[in-house]
Amino acid sequence: MPTLRIVTWNINSVRLRLPLLTDLVRDLAPDVICLQETKCPDELFPHEGVAGLGFPYRAVRGMKGYNGVAVLSRIPLAIREGDPDWCEKGDCRHLGVTLDVPGGLDLHNFYVPAGGDVPDRAANPKFAHKLDFLAEATAWNQARGPARRAVMLGDLNIAPLEHDVWSHRQMLGVVSHTPVEVEALASWQQAGAWHDALRHFVPPSEKLYTWWSYRAKDWAAANRGRRLDHIWVSQDLAGSLSGCDVLRAARGWAQASDHVPVMAEMKL
DNA sequence: ATGGTAGAAACTCTA
């Protein structure tokens, strides 16, 4: 039974942190790596460096300065055509591919808008964009029906559960954990009947973070993290899940991203 | 109520 390891990581500049991918590959041995915030136009993507790490199949969707997603794979893949241009912005926040495994496997790599600082749709256009993006994604999944043989992952910029943040009470008014965002994410998850691969293994009573702010004096001592990065699988794959990992040590690497890699393993 | 840090890019935006 072939094992498939999939990693999602908001790398926060693929060119700056290309050397850290070596450490990620060493520590997690992924078959597929999904990146967000590559901040790199496609013509400048470091293809040779990534190929040298053992990822001959790559799909990239980047732009200058902001956003950008990429899928790096040991397994052949095809870029999905016809997926939406979210909020008609052309801003490189989604890349859908089909992996060439027996039976095929759809993989959707998302970078959901962060949403700015003020959790008010009327006062803050970035928050409105985040909610609109989530509503579009929900409608998209609703129209397609429950996902089958599919993985949905990325930096979703929402920490949905009480123990996905360091203090539920103190975070209720902070963008990423407000009730309106949490409800929107739950609607999306329900629309696709997605199964949370990390919480499949880690009980909801246990704290679990994938992001720690750059602004803390000592991120590890303060440990005021949030679980913003997610891996969801379709219900038909839930029984195939065989493990997961959050590479917390990556937050302590030299020139670290503020997000750490998150891995799910399944026996296909 | 505010500022703290980081990256890309280019004198400012986004997170």
Short mmCIF file of all heavy atoms in Angstrom, two decimals, chain A residues 56-96:
data_model
loop_
_atom_site.label_atom_id
_atom_site.label_comp_id
_atom_site.label_asym_id
_atom_site.label_seq_id
_atom_site.Cartn_x
_atom_site.Cartn_y
_atom_site.Cartn_z
N PRO A 56 10.71 16.67 -9.37
CA PRO A 56 10.76 16.95 -10.80
C PRO A 56 9.45 17.52 -11.34
O PRO A 56 9.45 18.08 -12.44
CB PRO A 56 11.05 15.58 -11.42
CG PRO A 56 10.57 14.59 -10.42
CD PRO A 56 10.75 15.22 -9.07
N TYR A 57 8.36 17.36 -10.60
CA TYR A 57 7.06 17.84 -11.10
C TYR A 57 6.62 19.04 -10.28
O TYR A 57 6.52 18.96 -9.05
CB TYR A 57 6.02 16.71 -11.03
CG TYR A 57 6.51 15.46 -11.73
CD1 TYR A 57 7.02 14.38 -11.00
CD2 TYR A 57 6.52 15.40 -13.12
CE1 TYR A 57 7.51 13.26 -11.64
CE2 TYR A 57 7.01 14.28 -13.77
CZ TYR A 57 7.50 13.21 -13.03
OH TYR A 57 7.98 12.11 -13.67
N ARG A 58 6.39 20.15 -10.96
CA ARG A 58 6.08 21.39 -10.24
C ARG A 58 4.99 22.17 -10.96
O ARG A 58 4.95 22.19 -12.20
CB ARG A 58 7.34 22.27 -10.15
CG ARG A 58 8.49 21.60 -9.41
CD ARG A 58 9.76 22.42 -9.49
NE ARG A 58 10.24 22.59 -10.83
CZ ARG A 58 10.98 21.69 -11.49
NH1 ARG A 58 11.32 20.56 -10.90
NH2 ARG A 58 11.37 21.91 -12.73
N ALA A 59 4.15 22.79 -10.15
CA ALA A 59 3.17 23.73 -10.69
C ALA A 59 3.30 25.00 -9.88
O ALA A 59 3.36 24.95 -8.64
CB ALA A 59 1.76 23.16 -10.57
N VAL A 60 3.39 26.14 -10.56
CA VAL A 60 3.57 27.40 -9.84
C VAL A 60 2.55 28.43 -10.34
O VAL A 60 2.18 28.43 -11.52
CB VAL A 60 5.00 27.97 -9.99
CG1 VAL A 60 6.02 27.00 -9.43
CG2 VAL A 60 5.33 28.28 -11.44
N ARG A 61 2.08 29.23 -9.42
CA ARG A 61 1.18 30.33 -9.79
C ARG A 61 1.55 31.51 -8.91
O ARG A 61 1.11 31.63 -7.77
CB ARG A 61 -0.28 29.91 -9.60
CG ARG A 61 -1.29 30.97 -10.03
CD ARG A 61 -2.68 30.39 -10.13
NE ARG A 61 -2.79 29.45 -11.24
CZ ARG A 61 -3.74 28.52 -11.35
NH1 ARG A 61 -4.66 28.41 -10.41
NH2 ARG A 61 -3.77 27.73 -12.39
N GLY A 62 2.42 32.36 -9.43
CA GLY A 62 2.96 33.44 -8.62
C GLY A 62 2.75 34.79 -9.27
O GLY A 62 2.30 34.91 -10.41
N MET A 63 3.11 35.82 -8.52
CA MET A 63 3.02 37.20 -9.00
C MET A 63 4.09 38.01 -8.26
O MET A 63 4.74 37.49 -7.35
CB MET A 63 1.63 37.78 -8.73
CG MET A 63 1.28 37.81 -7.25
SD MET A 63 -0.46 38.15 -6.91
CE MET A 63 -0.50 39.91 -7.23
N LYS A 64 4.27 39.23 -8.68
CA LYS A 64 5.30 40.08 -8.09
C LYS A 64 4.89 40.56 -6.69
O LYS A 64 3.81 41.11 -6.52
CB LYS A 64 5.50 41.29 -9.01
CG LYS A 64 6.64 42.21 -8.65
CD LYS A 64 6.89 43.17 -9.79
CE LYS A 64 7.33 44.54 -9.28
NZ LYS A 64 7.49 45.47 -10.41
N GLY A 65 5.75 40.32 -5.72
CA GLY A 65 5.58 40.97 -4.42
C GLY A 65 4.72 40.28 -3.39
O GLY A 65 5.11 40.20 -2.22
N TYR A 66 3.55 39.79 -3.81
CA TYR A 66 2.59 39.26 -2.83
C TYR A 66 2.10 37.86 -3.23
O TYR A 66 2.26 37.44 -4.38
CB TYR A 66 1.35 40.15 -2.74
CG TYR A 66 1.65 41.60 -2.61
CD1 TYR A 66 1.45 42.47 -3.67
CD2 TYR A 66 2.15 42.11 -1.41
CE1 TYR A 66 1.73 43.81 -3.55
CE2 TYR A 66 2.44 43.45 -1.28
CZ TYR A 66 2.23 44.31 -2.35
OH TYR A 66 2.52 45.62 -2.21
N ASN A 67 1.47 37.20 -2.26
CA ASN A 67 0.72 35.96 -2.53
C ASN A 67 1.60 34.91 -3.23
O ASN A 67 2.80 34.86 -3.00
CB ASN A 67 -0.53 36.26 -3.36
CG ASN A 67 -1.36 37.38 -2.75
OD1 ASN A 67 -1.36 37.53 -1.55
ND2 ASN A 67 -2.06 38.13 -3.57
N GLY A 68 1.01 34.12 -4.06
CA GLY A 68 1.75 33.10 -4.79
C GLY A 68 1.66 31.74 -4.14
O GLY A 68 1.84 31.60 -2.93
N VAL A 69 1.35 30.71 -4.96
CA VAL A 69 1.26 29.33 -4.48
C VAL A 69 2.04 28.43 -5.43
O VAL A 69 2.26 28.78 -6.58
CB VAL A 69 -0.23 28.87 -4.39
CG1 VAL A 69 -0.90 29.47 -3.17
CG2 VAL A 69 -1.01 29.24 -5.65
N ALA A 70 2.45 27.28 -4.91
CA ALA A 70 3.21 26.33 -5.72
C ALA A 70 2.98 24.92 -5.19
O ALA A 70 2.75 24.73 -3.99
CB ALA A 70 4.71 26.66 -5.69
N VAL A 71 3.05 23.95 -6.10
CA VAL A 71 2.99 22.53 -5.71
C VAL A 71 4.25 21.87 -6.25
O VAL A 71 4.52 21.93 -7.46
CB VAL A 71 1.73 21.83 -6.28
CG1 VAL A 71 1.72 20.36 -5.88
CG2 VAL A 71 0.46 22.53 -5.80
N LEU A 72 5.02 21.27 -5.36
CA LEU A 72 6.26 20.58 -5.72
C LEU A 72 6.03 19.09 -5.46
O LEU A 72 5.58 18.72 -4.38
CB LEU A 72 7.42 21.07 -4.85
CG LEU A 72 7.44 22.58 -4.53
CD1 LEU A 72 8.59 22.90 -3.59
CD2 LEU A 72 7.54 23.38 -5.82
N SER A 73 6.36 18.24 -6.43
CA SER A 73 5.92 16.85 -6.31
C SER A 73 6.96 15.87 -6.84
O SER A 73 7.66 16.13 -7.81
CB SER A 73 4.60 16.68 -7.07
OG SER A 73 4.15 15.35 -7.01
N ARG A 74 7.03 14.72 -6.16
CA ARG A 74 7.80 13.59 -6.68
C ARG A 74 6.94 12.78 -7.64
O ARG A 74 7.47 11.90 -8.36
CB ARG A 74 8.22 12.67 -5.52
CG ARG A 74 9.09 13.33 -4.47
CD ARG A 74 9.67 12.28 -3.54
NE ARG A 74 10.32 12.86 -2.37
CZ ARG A 74 11.55 13.37 -2.38
NH1 ARG A 74 12.25 13.39 -3.50
NH2 ARG A 74 12.07 13.87 -1.28
N ILE A 75 5.63 13.04 -7.63
CA ILE A 75 4.65 12.28 -8.41
C ILE A 75 4.18 13.17 -9.56
O ILE A 75 3.94 14.36 -9.36
CB ILE A 75 3.45 11.91 -7.52
CG1 ILE A 75 3.93 11.05 -6.34
CG2 ILE A 75 2.34 11.22 -8.30
CD1 ILE A 75 2.97 11.03 -5.18
N PRO A 76 4.04 12.60 -10.76
CA PRO A 76 3.52 13.42 -11.87
C PRO A 76 2.18 14.04 -11.53
O PRO A 76 1.39 13.46 -10.78
CB PRO A 76 3.38 12.41 -13.02
CG PRO A 76 4.34 11.32 -12.70
CD PRO A 76 4.38 11.22 -11.20
N LEU A 77 1.95 15.22 -12.07
CA LEU A 77 0.69 15.92 -11.79
C LEU A 77 0.23 16.68 -13.02
O LEU A 77 1.01 16.96 -13.93
CB LEU A 77 0.86 16.87 -10.60
CG LEU A 77 1.95 17.95 -10.65
CD1 LEU A 77 1.56 19.12 -11.53
CD2 LEU A 77 2.27 18.44 -9.26
N ALA A 78 -1.06 16.99 -13.02
CA ALA A 78 -1.65 17.83 -14.07
C ALA A 78 -2.32 19.01 -13.39
O ALA A 78 -2.99 18.84 -12.36
CB ALA A 78 -2.65 17.04 -14.88
N ILE A 79 -2.12 20.21 -13.92
CA ILE A 79 -2.79 21.38 -13.38
C ILE A 79 -4.26 21.32 -13.76
O ILE A 79 -4.60 21.07 -14.92
CB ILE A 79 -2.15 22.68 -13.91
CG1 ILE A 79 -0.70 22.77 -13.43
CG2 ILE A 79 -2.95 23.90 -13.46
CD1 ILE A 79 0.05 23.99 -13.94
N ARG A 80 -5.13 21.49 -12.79
CA ARG A 80 -6.57 21.53 -13.07
C ARG A 80 -6.90 22.81 -13.83
O ARG A 80 -6.39 23.88 -13.50
CB ARG A 80 -7.36 21.52 -11.75
CG ARG A 80 -7.35 20.18 -11.03
CD ARG A 80 -8.00 20.34 -9.67
NE ARG A 80 -9.26 21.04 -9.76
CZ ARG A 80 -10.44 20.46 -10.00
NH1 ARG A 80 -10.51 19.16 -10.15
NH2 ARG A 80 -11.55 21.17 -10.07
N GLU A 81 -7.74 22.66 -14.81
CA GLU A 81 -8.20 23.83 -15.57
C GLU A 81 -9.62 24.16 -15.14
O GLU A 81 -10.37 23.29 -14.71
CB GLU A 81 -8.16 23.53 -17.07
CG GLU A 81 -6.79 23.08 -17.60
CD GLU A 81 -5.73 24.16 -17.53
OE1 GLU A 81 -6.08 25.35 -17.40
OE2 GLU A 81 -4.53 23.81 -17.60
N GLY A 82 -9.97 25.42 -15.26
CA GLY A 82 -11.36 25.80 -15.04
C GLY A 82 -11.72 26.09 -13.60
O GLY A 82 -12.89 26.31 -13.29
N ASP A 83 -10.75 26.06 -12.68
CA ASP A 83 -11.05 26.45 -11.32
C ASP A 83 -11.28 27.97 -11.28
O ASP A 83 -10.79 28.70 -12.13
CB ASP A 83 -9.90 26.06 -10.38
CG ASP A 83 -9.90 24.57 -10.07
OD1 ASP A 83 -10.96 23.93 -10.20
OD2 ASP A 83 -8.84 24.04 -9.68
N PRO A 84 -12.04 28.47 -10.30
CA PRO A 84 -12.41 29.89 -10.29
C PRO A 84 -11.22 30.84 -10.10
O PRO A 84 -10.20 30.45 -9.54
CB PRO A 84 -13.36 30.00 -9.08
CG PRO A 84 -13.80 28.61 -8.78
CD PRO A 84 -12.68 27.72 -9.20
N ASP A 85 -11.40 32.05 -10.60
CA ASP A 85 -10.51 33.16 -10.25
C ASP A 85 -11.18 33.88 -9.09
O ASP A 85 -12.07 34.70 -9.28
CB ASP A 85 -10.32 34.09 -11.45
CG ASP A 85 -9.55 35.34 -11.09
OD1 ASP A 85 -8.81 35.31 -10.08
OD2 ASP A 85 -9.68 36.35 -11.80
N TRP A 86 -10.74 33.57 -7.88
CA TRP A 86 -11.47 33.96 -6.67
C TRP A 86 -11.59 35.47 -6.55
O TRP A 86 -10.60 36.20 -6.61
CB TRP A 86 -10.77 33.36 -5.45
CG TRP A 86 -10.64 31.88 -5.61
CD1 TRP A 86 -9.56 31.20 -6.09
CD2 TRP A 86 -11.66 30.91 -5.40
NE1 TRP A 86 -9.83 29.86 -6.18
CE2 TRP A 86 -11.12 29.65 -5.75
CE3 TRP A 86 -12.98 30.97 -4.93
CZ2 TRP A 86 -11.84 28.46 -5.65
CZ3 TRP A 86 -13.70 29.79 -4.83
CH2 TRP A 86 -13.13 28.55 -5.18
N CYS A 87 -12.83 35.92 -6.39
CA CYS A 87 -13.16 37.35 -6.27
C CYS A 87 -12.67 38.13 -7.50
O CYS A 87 -12.54 39.35 -7.44
CB CYS A 87 -12.59 37.94 -4.97
SG CYS A 87 -13.19 37.12 -3.48
N GLU A 88 -12.41 37.39 -8.59
CA GLU A 88 -11.99 37.99 -9.86
C GLU A 88 -10.83 38.97 -9.70
O GLU A 88 -10.82 40.05 -10.26
CB GLU A 88 -13.18 38.66 -10.55
CG GLU A 88 -14.26 37.65 -10.92
CD GLU A 88 -15.46 38.26 -11.62
OE1 GLU A 88 -15.65 39.48 -11.51
OE2 GLU A 88 -16.19 37.50 -12.28
N LYS A 89 -9.85 38.55 -8.88
CA LYS A 89 -8.71 39.41 -8.63
C LYS A 89 -7.43 38.93 -9.32
O LYS A 89 -6.45 39.67 -9.37
CB LYS A 89 -8.46 39.53 -7.12
CG LYS A 89 -9.46 40.43 -6.42
CD LYS A 89 -9.19 40.46 -4.93
CE LYS A 89 -10.12 41.40 -4.19
NZ LYS A 89 -9.77 42.82 -4.41
N GLY A 90 -7.44 37.70 -9.79
CA GLY A 90 -6.24 37.17 -10.43
C GLY A 90 -5.02 37.23 -9.52
O GLY A 90 -3.91 37.51 -9.97
N ASP A 91 -5.22 36.98 -8.22
CA ASP A 91 -4.14 37.25 -7.27
C ASP A 91 -3.41 36.02 -6.73
O ASP A 91 -2.75 36.08 -5.70
CB ASP A 91 -4.63 38.14 -6.12
CG ASP A 91 -5.77 37.51 -5.35
OD1 ASP A 91 -6.22 36.40 -5.72
OD2 ASP A 91 -6.23 38.12 -4.37
N CYS A 92 -3.48 34.91 -7.45
CA CYS A 92 -2.58 33.77 -7.16
C CYS A 92 -2.73 33.22 -5.73
O CYS A 92 -1.75 33.12 -4.98
CB CYS A 92 -1.12 34.15 -7.42
SG CYS A 92 -0.83 34.77 -9.07
N ARG A 93 -3.96 32.87 -5.39
CA ARG A 93 -4.23 32.33 -4.05
C ARG A 93 -4.70 30.89 -4.09
O ARG A 93 -5.07 30.34 -3.04
CB ARG A 93 -5.31 33.19 -3.35
CG ARG A 93 -4.86 34.59 -3.02
CD ARG A 93 -5.97 35.35 -2.33
NE ARG A 93 -5.56 36.67 -1.93
CZ ARG A 93 -4.92 36.96 -0.80
NH1 ARG A 93 -4.61 35.99 0.05
NH2 ARG A 93 -4.58 38.19 -0.51
N HIS A 94 -4.72 30.27 -5.25
CA HIS A 94 -5.20 28.90 -5.35
C HIS A 94 -4.53 28.22 -6.53
O HIS A 94 -4.36 28.83 -7.60
CB HIS A 94 -6.73 28.90 -5.54
CG HIS A 94 -7.32 27.55 -5.85
ND1 HIS A 94 -8.23 27.36 -6.85
CD2 HIS A 94 -7.11 26.34 -5.29
CE1 HIS A 94 -8.58 26.07 -6.89
NE2 HIS A 94 -7.91 25.43 -5.95
N LEU A 95 -4.16 26.96 -6.30
CA LEU A 95 -3.63 26.14 -7.38
C LEU A 95 -4.19 24.73 -7.17
O LEU A 95 -3.93 24.12 -6.13
CB LEU A 95 -2.11 26.15 -7.34
CG LEU A 95 -1.34 25.41 -8.43
CD1 LEU A 95 -1.80 25.80 -9.82
CD2 LEU A 95 0.15 25.68 -8.28
N GLY A 96 -4.94 24.26 -8.15
CA GLY A 96 -5.52 22.92 -8.08
C GLY A 96 -4.79 22.00 -9.04
O GLY A 96 -4.57 22.36 -10.19
#
